[in-house]
Coordinates of all heavy atoms in Angstrom, one line a residue:
H858 N 78.7 101.7 95.6 CA 80.0 102.3 95.9 C 79.8 103.3 97.0 O 80.8 103.6 97.7 CB 80.6 102.9 94.6 CG 79.9 104.2 94.1 ND1 78.9 104.1 93.2 CD2 80.1 105.5 94.4 CE1 78.5 105.4 92.9 NE2 79.2 106.2 93.7
H859 N 78.7 103.9 97.2 CA 78.5 104.9 98.3 C 78.7 104.2 99.7 O 79.2 104.8 100.6 CB 77.1 105.6 98.2 CG 76.0 104.6 98.2 ND1 75.8 103.7 97.2 CD2 74.9 104.4 99.1 CE1 74.7 103.0 97.4 NE2 74.1 103.4 98.5
K860 N 78.3 103.0 99.8 CA 78.5 102.2 101.0 C 80.0 101.9 101.2 O 80.5 101.9 102.3 CB 77.6 101.0 101.1 CG 76.1 101.2 101.1 CD 75.3 99.9 101.1 CE 73.9 100.2 101.0 NZ 73.1 98.9 100.9
H861 N 80.6 101.5 100.1 CA 82.1 101.3 100.2 C 82.8 102.5 100.5 O 83.9 102.5 101.3 CB 82.6 100.7 98.9 CG 81.9 99.4 98.4 ND1 81.7 98.4 99.3 CD2 81.4 99.1 97.2 CE1 81.0 97.4 98.7 NE2 80.9 97.8 97.4
S862 N 82.4 103.7 100.0 CA 83.0 105.0 100.4 C 83.0 105.2 101.9 O 84.0 105.6 102.5 CB 82.3 106.1 99.7 OG 82.5 106.1 98.3
Y863 N 81.8 104.9 102.5 CA 81.7 105.0 104.0 C 82.8 104.2 104.6 O 83.5 104.7 105.5 CB 80.3 104.6 104.5 CG 80.2 104.5 106.0 CD1 80.0 105.6 106.7 CD2 80.5 103.3 106.6 CE1 80.0 105.6 108.1 CE2 80.5 103.2 108.0 CZ 80.2 104.4 108.8 OH 80.2 104.3 110.1
Y864 N 82.9 102.9 104.2 CA 83.8 102.0 104.9 C 85.3 102.5 104.7 O 86.0 102.5 105.7 CB 83.7 100.6 104.3 CG 84.7 99.6 104.9 CD1 84.5 99.0 106.1 CD2 85.8 99.3 104.2 CE1 85.4 98.1 106.6 CE2 86.8 98.5 104.7 CZ 86.5 97.9 105.9 OH 87.5 97.0 106.5
L865 N 85.6 102.9 103.5 CA 87.0 103.3 103.3 C 87.4 104.5 104.0 O 88.5 104.7 104.6 CB 87.3 103.5 101.8 CG 87.2 102.2 100.9 CD1 87.4 102.6 99.4 CD2 88.3 101.2 101.3
I866 N 86.5 105.5 104.1 CA 86.8 106.7 104.8 C 86.8 106.5 106.3 O 87.7 107.0 107.0 CB 85.7 107.8 104.5 CG1 85.8 108.2 103.0 CG2 85.8 109.0 105.4 CD1 84.6 109.0 102.5
R867 N 85.9 105.7 106.8 CA 85.8 105.4 108.2 C 87.0 104.7 108.7 O 87.4 104.9 109.9 CB 84.5 104.6 108.5 CG 84.2 104.4 110.0 CD 83.8 105.8 110.6 NE 83.8 105.7 112.1 CZ 84.9 105.9 112.8 NH1 86.1 106.1 112.3 NH2 84.8 105.9 114.1
N868 N 87.6 103.9 107.9 CA 88.8 103.1 108.3 C 90.1 103.5 107.6 O 91.0 102.7 107.7 CB 88.5 101.6 108.0 CG 87.3 101.1 108.8 OD1 87.4 100.8 110.0 ND2 86.1 101.0 108.2
G869 N 90.1 104.7 107.1 CA 91.2 105.1 106.3 C 92.3 105.9 107.0 O 93.2 106.4 106.3
D870 N 92.2 106.1 108.3 CA 93.2 106.9 109.1 C 93.4 108.3 108.5 O 94.5 108.7 108.3 CB 94.5 106.1 109.1 CG 94.4 104.9 110.1 OD1 93.7 105.1 111.1 OD2 95.0 103.9 109.8
L871 N 92.3 109.0 108.3 CA 92.5 110.4 107.9 C 93.1 111.2 109.1 O 92.7 111.1 110.2 CB 91.1 111.1 107.6 CG 90.4 110.7 106.3 CD1 89.1 111.4 106.2 CD2 91.3 111.1 105.1
L872 N 94.1 112.0 108.8 CA 94.9 112.7 109.8 C 94.3 114.1 110.0 O 93.8 114.7 109.1 CB 96.3 112.8 109.4 CG 97.1 111.5 109.3 CD1 98.5 111.7 108.9 CD2 97.0 110.6 110.6
G873 N 94.4 114.5 111.3 CA 93.9 115.9 111.6 C 92.5 116.0 112.0 O 92.0 117.0 112.5
Y874 N 91.8 114.8 112.0 CA 90.4 114.8 112.3 C 90.1 114.0 113.6 O 90.8 113.0 113.8 CB 89.5 114.2 111.2 CG 89.6 115.0 109.9 CD1 90.4 114.6 108.9 CD2 88.7 116.1 109.7 CE1 90.5 115.3 107.7 CE2 88.8 116.8 108.5 CZ 89.6 116.4 107.5 OH 89.7 117.1 106.3
T875 N 89.1 114.3 114.3 CA 88.7 113.5 115.4 C 87.8 112.3 114.9 O 87.4 112.4 113.7 CB 87.8 114.3 116.4 OG1 86.6 114.6 115.8 CG2 88.5 115.5 116.9
E876 N 87.6 111.3 115.7 CA 86.7 110.2 115.3 C 85.3 110.7 114.9 O 84.8 110.2 113.9 CB 86.6 109.2 116.4 CG 87.9 108.4 116.7 CD 88.2 107.4 115.7 OE1 87.6 106.3 115.7 OE2 89.2 107.6 114.9
S877 N 84.8 111.6 115.6 CA 83.4 112.1 115.3 C 83.4 112.8 113.9 O 82.5 112.6 113.1 CB 83.0 113.1 116.4 OG 82.8 112.5 117.6
E878 N 84.5 113.6 113.6 CA 84.6 114.3 112.3 C 84.7 113.3 111.2 O 84.1 113.5 110.1 CB 85.7 115.3 112.4 CG 85.5 116.5 113.2 CD 86.7 117.3 113.5 OE1 87.8 116.8 113.4 OE2 86.5 118.5 113.8
I879 N 85.5 112.2 111.4 CA 85.6 111.2 110.4 C 84.3 110.5 110.1 O 83.9 110.2 109.0 CB 86.7 110.2 110.8 CG1 88.1 110.9 110.8 CG2 86.7 109.0 109.8 CD1 89.2 110.0 111.3
E880 N 83.6 110.3 111.2 CA 82.2 109.6 111.1 C 81.3 110.5 110.3 O 80.5 110.0 109.4 CB 81.7 109.4 112.5 CG 80.4 108.5 112.5 CD 80.7 107.0 112.2 OE1 81.5 106.4 113.0 OE2 80.3 106.5 111.2
I881 N 81.4 111.8 110.5 CA 80.5 112.7 109.7 C 80.9 112.7 108.2 O 80.1 112.6 107.3 CB 80.6 114.2 110.3 CG1 79.9 114.3 111.6 CG2 80.0 115.2 109.3 CD1 80.2 115.6 112.3
I882 N 82.2 112.8 107.9 CA 82.7 112.8 106.5 C 82.3 111.5 105.9 O 81.7 111.5 104.7 CB 84.2 112.9 106.5 CG1 84.7 114.3 107.0 CG2 84.7 112.7 105.1 CD1 86.2 114.4 107.3
A883 N 82.4 110.4 106.6 CA 82.1 109.1 106.0 C 80.6 109.0 105.7 O 80.1 108.5 104.7 CB 82.5 107.9 106.9
N884 N 79.8 109.5 106.6 CA 78.3 109.5 106.4 C 77.9 110.4 105.3 O 77.0 110.1 104.5 CB 77.6 109.9 107.7 CG 77.3 108.6 108.6 OD1 76.3 108.0 108.4 ND2 78.2 108.4 109.5
L885 N 78.5 111.6 105.2 CA 78.2 112.5 104.1 C 78.4 111.8 102.8 O 77.6 111.9 101.8 CB 79.0 113.8 104.2 CG 78.6 114.7 105.3 CD1 79.6 115.9 105.4 CD2 77.2 115.3 105.1
A886 N 79.6 111.1 102.6 CA 79.9 110.4 101.4 C 78.9 109.3 101.2 O 78.4 109.0 100.0 CB 81.3 109.9 101.5
R887 N 78.5 108.6 102.2 CA 77.6 107.5 102.2 C 76.2 107.9 101.6 O 75.6 107.2 100.8 CB 77.4 106.9 103.6 CG 76.1 106.1 103.8 CD 76.1 104.8 103.2 NE 75.0 103.9 103.6 CZ 73.8 104.0 103.0 NH1 73.5 104.8 102.1 NH2 72.8 103.1 103.4
Y888 N 75.8 109.2 101.9 CA 74.5 109.6 101.5 C 74.5 110.6 100.3 O 73.6 111.4 100.2 CB 73.8 110.2 102.7 CG 73.4 109.2 103.8 CD1 74.0 109.3 105.0 CD2 72.6 108.1 103.5 CE1 73.7 108.3 106.0 CE2 72.3 107.2 104.4 CZ 72.9 107.3 105.7 OH 72.6 106.3 106.6
H889 N 75.6 110.5 99.5 CA 75.6 111.4 98.3 C 74.6 110.8 97.2 O 74.4 111.5 96.2 CB 77.0 111.5 97.7 CG 77.5 110.4 96.9 ND1 78.2 109.3 97.4 CD2 77.5 110.2 95.5 CE1 78.5 108.5 96.4 NE2 78.1 109.0 95.3
R890 N 74.1 109.6 97.4 CA 73.2 109.0 96.4 C 72.3 108.0 97.1 O 72.5 107.7 98.3 CB 74.0 108.3 95.3 CG 74.8 107.1 95.7 CD 75.8 106.6 94.7 NE 75.2 105.9 93.6 CZ 74.9 104.6 93.5 NH1 75.3 103.8 94.4 NH2 74.4 104.1 92.4
R891 N 71.3 107.5 96.4 CA 70.4 106.5 96.9 C 69.7 107.0 98.1 O 69.2 108.1 98.2 CB 71.1 105.2 97.1 CG 71.6 104.5 95.8 CD 70.5 104.2 94.8 NE 71.0 103.6 93.6 CZ 71.2 102.3 93.4 NH1 70.9 101.4 94.4 NH2 71.6 101.9 92.2
S892 N 69.5 106.1 99.1 CA 68.7 106.4 100.3 C 69.2 107.6 101.1 O 70.4 107.8 101.3 CB 68.7 105.2 101.2 OG 68.1 105.5 102.4
P893 N 68.2 108.4 101.6 CA 68.6 109.5 102.5 C 69.0 108.9 103.9 O 68.7 107.7 104.1 CB 67.4 110.4 102.6 CG 66.3 109.4 102.3 CD 66.8 108.4 101.3

């Protein structure tokens, strides 16, 4: 589900953020478990 979280956040049209910021948020969620 951590990988799915990355995909949903990255493609979820979060408003108020730049593309780079969305990429950071998605990666942070991606790495909350399993592999660093």
Side-chain angles (χ1 to χ4, degrees):
H858 71 267
H859 54 300
K860 296 179 183 178
H861 301 315
S862 291
Y863 170 84
Y864 176 82
L865 291 177
I866 295 168
R867 189 66 193 83
N868 297 282
D870 286 323
L871 285 176
L872 297 179
Y874 298 97
T875 66
E876 292 283 288
S877 296
E878 289 169 333
I879 293 172
E880 192 71 65
I881 289 171
I882 294 167
N884 270 276
L885 288 174
R887 158 73 171 84
Y888 293 117
H889 82 270
R890 68 191 289 266
R891 296 293 178 93
S892 168

